[in-house]
Amino acid sequence: MILYELISYDVLRVIWWVLLGVLLIGFALTDGFDMGVGALLPFVAKTDVERRVVINTVGPVWEGNQVWFILGGGAIFAAWPPLYAVSFSGFYLAMFAVLACFILRPVGFKYRSKRESARWRSGWDWALFVGGAGPALLFGVAVGNAMLGVPFHLNDLLMPMYDGTFYGKFLGLLRPFAILSGVVSFAMLIMHGAAWLALKTEGEINARARRMGSVAGIVAIVAYALAGVWLAFGVDGFTLTSDVVANGPSNPLYSEVARGGSWLSAYAERPWIAIAPALGFLGMGLAVLGLRSRREVSTLLFSKLGILGVISSVGLTMFPFILPSTVDPASSLTVWDASSSHRTLFIMLVCALIFMPLILAYTAWVYKVLWGKVTEDDVTGSSHSY
């Protein structure tokens, strides 16, 4: 109880905003290379044995990597209930598409080698491609829409009401800036998957992955720069125009929000946040150089650094907004007025402090045990490989 009283409500809100970012970044760093590998599968591997090698680079770890996605979804549900409600109302069809892709992946991994038929295996290879490429693109589109704002409002009972049409829940998300954000995400995770394959494979697979990954990295850098320019001159930002009550009740309607200006004004108010996009450009640039110069461990680490910078730049640019509203800016969700109660956030923090170290320790142990390259002899000589 003493610790509960020491950690104030506003501090807990910021802690859970940071933790949500950590979970999403952790998902991108781990399951991101799984998705990148799946998207690269039909192109970096030409023969059946080569494709089995590619699949087995992620086969032992992909299920564990998805824990970060589950934790992120759980954190949104428990720590930011209005965000969960609006997201599942407005992004319903897009989330269904992501779920379908996630279902394809385990089925593809398990069923691909059940028959010797070339057509059978090719079909599952393309299913794995969709299972990796689809979420890599759609997650970026979702981030782009969060920065543009979503058409929803809160009624008098604080129930989130989505104002878009049923078909708009998917097609309405495909706005030009959101598509560009999807390109950034897709290309970045392709680069990340290529960095993983450069570490885990050899020979022709390794060479093809390096070539494709370096091209994807350049596309990601250019698209990220274009997104920054677009944000500066073509996207209206959101601003809190009332006094911030950091310890106040979770009622977005208490705040006054204006739409206009630029999201990038945050860099004038908090210059230190420029480190995030700088790390994004630096990490992706060094990853491209590492792919071209045949480095392995450092290339993967630089790729992770780039992803960390890119995702962090979104959260830091939008702070304190989590999900703005285009039809009623006053309904926009922020860190200060869209969280669960003080007690709920505290109990969740205690659980996170107990279980997060266990997850990190287990993950580190698994990667240590599975360290090393996957070869053709490994997959043809083992009955346990995919």
Side-chain angles (χ1 to χ4, degrees):
M1 289 302 294
I2 296 177
L3 184 60
Y4 171 72
E5 294 173 356
L6 286 176
I7 305 179
S8 62
Y9 198 8
D10 57 331
V11 172
L12 274 173
R13 282 168 161 164
V14 173
I15 288 174
W16 271 103
W17 174 77
V18 172
L19 283 177
L20 177 59
V22 168
L23 293 173
L24 296 179
I25 291 170
F27 170 64
L29 296 183
T30 55
D31 208 42
F33 67 71
D34 294 348
M35 290 185 284
V37 168
L40 286 168
L41 175 62
F43 310 103
V44 298
K46 303 301 182 182
T47 66
D48 180 67
V49 174
E50 286 183 347
R51 293 187 176 185
R52 289 184 64 196
V53 168
V54 171
I55 291 170
N56 279 277
T57 63
V58 297
V61 297
W62 70 269
E63 287 178 290
N65 291 340
Q66 288 197 152
V67 166
W68 294 97
F69 180 70
I70 297 169
L71 290 174
I76 293 174
F77 173 77
W80 311 99
L83 174 62
Y84 185 89
V86 174
S87 299
F88 274 79
S89 296
F91 298 165
Y92 179 80
L93 294 179
M95 289 188 173
F96 184 84
V98 169
L99 179 61
C101 290
F102 278 167
I103 291 173
L104 277 177
R105 287 208 297 169
V107 176
F109 282 127
K110 301 298 183 181
Y111 280 15
R112 183 192 183 277
S113 296
K114 296 298 184 182
R115 295 179 59 186
E116 297 290 337
S117 168
R119 179 178 294 181
W120 170 270
R121 294 189 172 188
S122 177
W124 286 116
D125 289 339
W126 284 104
L128 290 172
F129 165 79
V130 173
L137 178 66
L138 290 174
F139 284 135
V141 171
V143 170
N145 275 281
M147 301 199 79
L148 291 170
V150 177
F152 73 94
H153 73 276
L154 301 178
N155 64 18
D156 293 338
L157 298 177
L158 296 184
M159 293 176 59
M161 310 297 292
Y162 185 78
D163 295 308
T165 64
F166 178 77
Y167 292 105
K169 292 183 179 182
F170 187 81
L171 297 179
L173 302 179
L174 302 179
R175 294 179 278 182
F177 178 79
I179 292 174
L180 178 62
S181 300
V183 171
V184 174
S185 173
F186 180 74
M188 183 172 65
L189 295 185
I190 290 289
M191 176 194 70
H192 197 40
W196 176 256
L197 289 176
L199 176 68
K200 297 291 289 183
T201 64
E202 54 191 14
E204 285 300 313
I205 299 174
N206 186 294
R208 295 184 195 116
R210 290 180 183 277
R211 288 195 298 270
M212 295 180 185
S214 61
V215 173
I218 293 172
V219 171
I221 292 170
V222 173
Y224 184 50
L226 288 175
V229 174
W230 200 329
L231 274 181
F233 301 105
V235 176
D236 288 336
F238 291 78
T239 308
L240 279 171
T241 56
S242 60
D243 293 335
V244 172
V245 184
N247 278 312
S250 289
N251 185 346
L253 298 181
Y254 282 165
S255 303
E256 295 180 8
V257 178
R259 186 180 186 188
S262 170
W263 278 120
L264 299 190
S265 62
Y267 292 87
E269 300 167 2
R270 306 186 300 274
W272 62 271
I273 68 175
I275 190 174
L279 289 177
F281 283 117
L282 178 65
M284 291 190 291
L286 292 175
V288 170
L289 293 177
L291 286 167
R292 293 189 169 186
S293 58
R294 301 185 63 81
R295 296 191 183 99
E296 295 183 350
V297 176
S298 63
T299 299
L300 185 63
L301 293 177
F302 287 137
S303 179
K304 291 178 181 290
L305 179 65
I307 293 172
L308 169 66
V310 170
I311 297 178
S312 297
S313 69
V314 176
L316 291 171
T317 299
M318 292 182 63
F319 184 87
F321 289 92
I322 302 175
L323 191 65
S325 169
T326 56
V327 297
D328 180 21
S331 295
S332 298
L333 308 180
T334 75
V335 171
W336 310 124
D337 55 27
S339 72
S340 293
S341 68
H342 187 179
R343 187 176 299 276
T344 299
L345 295 182
F346 177 77
I347 293 173
M348 288 174 58
L349 179 61
V350 172
C351 294
L353 291 176
I354 294 173
F355 291 105
M356 284 288 287
L358 294 177
I359 294 172
L360 290 171
Y362 170 79
T363 301
W365 176 77
V366 168
Y367 278 95
K368 180 181 178 181
V369 170
L370 298 173
W371 187 259
K373 292 186 178 292
V374 178
T375 66
E376 293 186 2
D377 290 340
D378 292 332
V379 299
T380 57
S382 172
S383 59
H384 299 290
S385 61
Y386 287 111

